[in-house]
Amino acid sequence: MKNKLLKIVEGLTGKIVRCSENDLDKYLLPHPILGKLTFREMLYFTIYHVEHHEKHILQNLEKPSWNLRTRSLLPVRLTGRIHWNGSGHYS
């Protein structure tokens, strides 16, 4: 899966670097919440969004998590699971 994701990112990066500065501000892309964004704005948003999730994933990997199978608290890295706690956060 990691290799597949890397190939997709490399392909997209290759296409992005061929865009002119004018193209980055000329084309509009729809976002379901933010509305229309320029290609440049969407790139900045995507970078921020991915980094935001990466930060939270790394933080959550260090927290203990309830293992339903063994009914015990184990670090997520040992169970391989990240659990939704129902309050808008993963734990």
Side-chain angles (χ1 to χ4, degrees):
M1 183 165 171
K2 183 178 178 180
N3 289 336
K4 183 178 179 180
L5 179 59
L6 287 173
K7 286 181 182 180
I8 291 170
V9 170
E10 287 171 359
L12 289 172
T13 302
K15 292 176 183 177
I16 292 167
V17 297
R18 289 193 301 265
C19 291
S20 70
E21 287 292 317
N22 188 44
D23 288 342
L24 294 175
D25 295 321
K26 181 169 116 180
Y27 297 107
L28 295 176
L29 303 170
H31 185 279
I33 296 172
L34 301 175
K36 293 179 182 178
L37 300 175
T38 65
F39 191 42
R40 182 185 310 273
E41 291 169 330
M42 185 65 85
L43 290 172
Y44 282 128
F45 172 78
T46 302
I47 291 166
Y48 171 80
H49 194 79
V50 169
E51 289 176 350
H52 165 79
H53 283 286
E54 179 186 34
K55 174 185 166 189
H56 287 280
I57 289 168
L58 293 174
Q59 287 173 349
N60 286 330
L61 286 175
E62 297 303 319
K63 293 179 183 178
S65 177
W66 182 255
N67 186 322
L68 295 175
R69 188 169 23 89
T70 62
R71 297 179 186 267
S72 62
L73 285 174
L74 291 175
V76 174
R77 64 181 174 276
L78 297 180
T79 65
R81 297 181 181 157
I82 297 175
H83 301 282
W84 176 254
N85 68 13
S87 67
H89 301 284
Y90 287 92
S91 60

